[in-house]
Amino acid sequence: MIWMARVLAGPILWGALFSGIYGLHGLGCGLDWPNRETPLGALHPLAMIGAWLLGLALHAALIRWNRALGDARQAMLVRAGNWIGAVASAATLFPVIATSTCG
Amino acid sequence: MTEDPHAIAPNPPQRALPLHRQMDRIWSDLPGWRGSVASVNHGTIGLRFMATSFLFFSIGGVLAMLIRAQLATRDGAFLDTQLYNQIFTMHGSIMMFLFAIPMLEGLAMWLLPKILGARDMAFPRLGALGYWCYLFGGIIILSSLLFGVAPDGGWFMYVPLSGKTYTPGISADVWLLGVTFVEISAMAAAVEIIVTILRLRAAGMALTRMPLMGWYMLGTAAMMLVGFPPLILGSILLELERAFDWPFFDVLRGGDPMLWQHLFWLFGHPEVYIIFLPAAGVLSTIIPVFARTRILGYGAIVAAIVGLVFLSFGLWVHHMFTVGIPHMALAFFSAASALVAVPTSVQIFAWIGTMWAGRVDLRLPMLHVIGFFATFVMGGLTGVMLAMVPFNWQAHDTHFVVAHLHYVLVGGFVFPMLAGITYWMPMISGRFRVRALGEAAFWLIFLGFHGTFFIMHLTGLLGMPRRVDRYPDNPEWEWLNLVSSIGGMVMSVGFALFVLDIAMQWLFGRRSHRNPWKAQTMDWAMALPAPSYNFASLAGAGRHDASVTLPLARGEGLLPGAPRDRREVLVTEPGTGRPDHVAVLPGNTRLPIWTAAAIGSFFLLMLAGLYWATPLAILLILWAAWQWGGFMGSRRDAEPLAVAPGLALHEHWQMRNTLAYSGTVTLLVADATLYASLLFGVAFLTVIAPNWPPPDSGLGWPVLLTGAAALLMMGLGLVASLLAEAQRAAPPGRLAALAGVAAAGLALLLLAGVAWQFDDPTRHARDALRAALLGYAGFHGVVTLMLALRSLADVRQGRTSAMRRGAAPVWQLFQAFWLGTSALSLGVVALQEIG
């Protein structure tokens, strides 16, 4: 079942990232983060972009370190799981750099 | 024990007929109607699920015809508004909760053991309990229509419309309680399916070599496990609000109707894929058979299933695009909704590629497969359109959405199921079908469906909203609606003909020979109709396909016959399929129907508003639950059983990682999801809902100290449960079990002390949420106490020894879960007090 955990690692990371950033978005809107300035800009987009980039870095680490295991089909599925998670995180969370936050 | 499954030698051949008689005597149902309610066999239960769901489908279809009759003309006088509201609500609810989900559960229960090379599902009594809960719950829901108190707030029961203010009476309660009752069967099925796939596959059948249907059902069950708890929680919270005025959704007291929408669609969108995945499994099974080739891209399809399972949980807000959610959140869900088309397309192209590579034989099941392609792909494309926020805002709540969802659900579920029924009917009935009727039924359904719903896209684009019963000021919609209504009637005739075809096959069809479609999968490695036990002996390492029919029937496989007059199955390791132990399954019993009746009495008392009497029902349920434990133990240490020459395995009573243990872990995943949904509710209302912060609670250290003392007792209970297992063969084991019972009882008393100090839950949503968290802890306390008592009874009655552990491992799981969730809940209360 370690193999199964390796297959699911990428999608699970996406799930954590997606729900985490969505939660962060709601929390930031509720706490008025868009109007809190930091040296690098408003806190809200900064926090979300930071979380997204961190997540993408973790996906990159997974692709690098969560190597194939078992026979050819098992290895292919581990690789596929890694990439499914990474592409999903990149595609579904890119709005953190593209749209306004709480508007 | 043999380490390499490939080294398993065959058993000596026996005469097939005596073996069949021996097995059938042990595995078949008891005779007569009294015997039939005692059945727990997966074949019987699965077929009952499917037949009952098809009956509900027919009723839902009749309601649809009433809707179409009403809308055929703009001033339809066929139904009044109130009845129309009830009918469209019941149509949606029946089709979703009483047809689609039970149909897939039935298919899984009936088919999975056959296609995976097993004799039954992992928990036969649980399957039977699920069926009776489904039947009783369905009857309650349906009866409301006869008594004129049917739900009328739409199948997603939005608040505040479904709250007590706007829906007095019991109609909304019928939905909330009835659906929750029915969903017990869904949770039971999810646990059963997962454990069956992971632990009961044929020996040596690695996970990556199992038939694709196994992967589809594994994905479906995992989604059910995580998808249904938010709906169950939402239903409980809304029922608590309606019954006891706890204001989870009341804005004035810190609640928020949006919480209901989130909880509902957290279930509701994955639900689409829960319905689609088993249907896709049917397609992946059938298409290679009729294309006379192997499925193209096994690995890609498995990867697509993994992608779908996860991505489908990131789409729910696309049902809420118009409620005023910030742009960024809309964009997240819009992107996810578009992305989910990719894994779906991977499967579509794999199926097309398979047909391209092979030579398609256009038999009746394949006609329905073609119907699927023509319908589902269009539904998927309009789904991508609706995933785009600007278009969604225009088309929201119009008939365009109605057309889209029917294209997805009928295309993605009904056509594949019709294909599946026609494909597996020879195995069910043992007969060939009568020619031509099925083809006529297909064309009527296909043409009728597109006649009804294709044009409905246009009706929606012209602005006709859903759920209106008249449109006197819009004559431009009338001819479109008339065409849809005519199409609907044609489709109905098609379905009636389909049922007639099935009945004719059952009654008058020629006897079918084995494996009439020349399929490769193991479900066809048996005589027709399928025997009650599936396989007289179980497939070992090597071939797991239809070619092993005769060797298995002659007892050359593993665990041949029923020499000990018990229902024995082979339990394997989840990944490799290596034989692990022999599980003895329970035989026919009426306990499931009595348990379902006890649970039903609770729901009926709630529905009747007789809340004071519900503790009696709860006691009844606890009594029934206690009876279930009676089978779960043995008073003797047994020698390992000879499974094959050179391979002897222990019985499950002498193992730790049993089916029950796996099932408990699986169940706790669902339980944790429900708890996480409750925490989501706390966070959502705290951050988003108006009228926060709540009034001062006046709670202080006393409540936190009482809670901490309860946690201490739960911790002691956990230690006791560990000791009870470790010392099971010695007197301290009995003492530990006794201490565990005392600790659980004391913890429950302390929780009652916390409840006594809490504020009135009707005052504010914060207080209601605290009460809900406490109720959750109390419920788990009762379950844990029951398990501690069971462990104590095991010790006292000699069900434990150095080899036998009794219920202690399962008790530990629940004890740890109770402790963990209660600690989190206390932390939430402490944070609220500090904040």
Side-chain angles (χ1 to χ4, degrees), chain B residues 493-508:
Chain B
V493 175
F495 278 115
L497 208 54
F498 182 87
V499 173
L500 180 67
D501 183 35
I502 297 299
M504 295 284 279
Q505 179 171 356
W506 207 306
L507 295 172
F508 305 117

Side-chain angles (χ1 to χ4, degrees), chain B residues 125 591 622-635 653 786-787 790 793-794 797 799 806-807:
Chain B
R125 293 185 301 178
L591 197 51
L622 291 177
W623 174 82
W626 183 259
Q627 302 306 312
W628 282 59
F631 182 80
M632 297 175 181
S634 171
R635 290 188 171 85
W653 292 299
M786 291 277 287
L787 287 167
R790 170 53 64 191
D794 283 343
Q797 295 167 4
R799 291 160 180 258

Side-chain angles (χ1 to χ4, degrees), chain B residues 217-301:
Chain B
M217 285 296 183
L218 190 60
T220 303
M223 291 178 71
M224 289 166 76
L225 208 62
V226 181
F228 276 93
L231 173 69
I232 293 171
L233 175 73
S235 300
I236 292 170
L237 297 186
L238 184 50
E239 186 54 31
L240 284 171
E241 178 170 302
R242 289 180 55 86
F244 304 116
D245 196 28
W246 293 13
F248 300 104
F249 309 105
D250 178 3
V251 176
L252 287 177
R253 289 179 287 167
D256 195 333
M258 290 282 289
L259 176 60
W260 169 263
Q261 293 198 25
H262 278 293
L263 291 175
F264 184 87
W265 289 116
L266 263 167
F267 145 81
H269 197 82
E271 155 87 346
V272 176
Y273 293 91
I274 288 170
I275 290 171
F276 170 65
L277 283 184
V282 170
L283 296 168
S284 290
T285 306
I286 289 179
I287 288 173
V289 174
F290 290 100
R292 304 293 174 219
T293 184
R294 300 174 71 85
I295 190 81
L296 189 74
Y298 179 104
I301 291 178

Side-chain angles (χ1 to χ4, degrees), chain B residues 26-239:
Chain B
I26 299 300
W27 286 85
S28 61
D29 301 338
L30 297 173
W33 73 269
R34 289 167 67 90
S36 72
V37 298
S39 173
V40 295
N41 186 292
H42 81 99
T44 306
I45 300 297
L47 284 179
R48 276 184 195 168
F49 259 110
M50 287 194 277
T52 311
S53 71
F54 217 80
L55 187 66
F56 281 118
F57 177 73
S58 308
I59 294 166
V62 169
L63 297 180
M65 290 307 95
L66 296 179
I67 294 170
R68 286 314 326 163
Q70 171 69 16
L71 295 180
T73 57
R74 62 184 134 146
D75 283 313
F78 193 64
L79 304 167
D80 63 34
T81 302
Q82 190 188 1
L83 191 56
Y84 183 80
N85 291 347
Q86 290 185 1
I87 284 175
F88 74 67
T89 301
M90 288 293 283
H91 167 72
S93 303
I94 286 174
M95 290 305 197
M96 282 293 187
F97 297 110
L98 302 183
F99 164 61
I101 301 285
M103 181 76 187
L104 75 87
E105 289 166 27
L107 177 69
M109 284 185 197
W110 179 80
L111 179 64
L112 274 178
K114 295 176 171 62
I115 207 164
L116 297 176
R119 284 177 178 152
D120 206 329
M121 295 291 282
F123 307 111
R125 293 185 301 178
L126 196 62
L129 171 69
Y131 174 74
W132 295 116
C133 287
Y134 159 53
L135 183 67
F136 294 163
I139 289 171
I140 290 173
I141 293 172
L142 209 60
S143 304
S144 68
L145 200 57
L146 298 176
F147 294 116
V149 290
D152 57 1
W155 84 274
F156 31 77
M157 294 295 287
Y158 276 174
V159 284
L161 178 62
S162 58
K164 201 75 175 173
T165 308
Y166 301 103
T167 308
I170 65 165
S171 63
D173 304 304
V174 168
W175 192 97
L176 295 167
L177 293 166
V179 165
T180 304
F181 191 15
V182 168
E183 292 327 325
I184 291 172
S185 72
M187 298 315 299
V191 171
E192 263 208 298
I193 292 168
I194 288 176
V195 178
T196 301
I197 293 171
L198 292 180
R199 306 296 312 273
L200 288 186
R201 298 192 312 277
M205 183 190 277
L207 213 50
T208 45
R209 303 287 157 194
M210 73 174 166
L212 275 171
M213 177 58 95
W215 278 106
Y216 277 107
M217 285 296 183
L218 190 60
T220 303
M223 291 178 71
M224 289 166 76
L225 208 62
V226 181
F228 276 93
L231 173 69
I232 293 171
L233 175 73
S235 300
I236 292 170
L237 297 186
L238 184 50
E239 186 54 31

